[in-house]
Amino acid sequence: MGVDVDGDGTDEHSWSVDPEDEQGAAVVAALGRQMRARREALGMRVGDLAAVIQYGEALIYKVEGGKRIAKPEYLDKVDDALKAGGLIRAMREDLVADGTAVGRSEGAFNGRPVSDPKRLRTLDLRYGMLRAQALTPHAWAGFVSYARDVSPR
């Protein structure tokens, strides 16, 4: 798996699945099937779950489809929302043991890909800080409007 940007916000709460890691991909797919089966057994739609756990529907579809690897915080919320009694939460260790993550940043670790969990967490925190400092779409529109008004013509 590797941290990437899908453009729909799923990158913030998940990692992509490495297609070459067959064992890791199988674990991710099995977890996704279990989450979907549990949700459907409760009669819950994806939109309902999204509202309860405060994550987007796109992420839920991707995790249930085995396309994304959810971060631990997501698994905790889903476990609670689906009243799974710790069964989903318990899969966190399997994802760490069987999945392989790779991340890369030009400004960290000499720009080389890293797979060590501690270094991946560093990259994740770095990108989290960048996302937190980014302007919202509304604020960005205001900035552009202001820049147009004050720029010489």
Side-chain angles (χ1 to χ4, degrees), residues 34-136:
Q34 291 298 318
M35 291 170 46
R36 181 177 180 183
R38 181 72 184 163
R39 178 182 54 76
E40 289 175 347
L42 293 174
M44 190 180 283
R45 296 174 309 144
V46 169
D48 299 332
L49 179 60
V52 171
I53 66 172
Q54 297 296 301
Y55 286 95
E57 291 181 30
L59 176 62
I60 295 170
Y61 280 117
K62 289 178 181 180
V63 170
E64 288 184 353
K67 305 293 184 213
R68 301 291 295 181
I69 302 167
K71 292 184 180 179
E73 303 83 25
Y74 174 91
L75 296 176
D76 291 342
K77 287 187 174 192
V78 170
D79 189 86
D80 293 339
L82 299 180
K83 300 173 180 63
L87 295 175
I88 294 171
R89 188 175 280 117
M91 292 293 291
R92 290 166 54 163
E93 297 305 316
D94 293 318
L95 292 176
V96 171
D98 293 329
T100 56
V102 177
R104 185 178 151 316
S105 172
E106 290 291 330
F109 313 113
N110 296 322
R112 295 181 179 171
V114 295
S115 59
D116 173 61
K118 185 175 181 180
R119 288 183 172 186
L120 287 172
R121 185 66 181 150
T122 299
L123 291 177
D124 189 42
L125 290 171
R126 175 179 280 184
Y127 286 114
M129 287 187 294
L130 289 172
R131 283 189 298 270
Q133 294 171 2
L135 293 175
T136 64

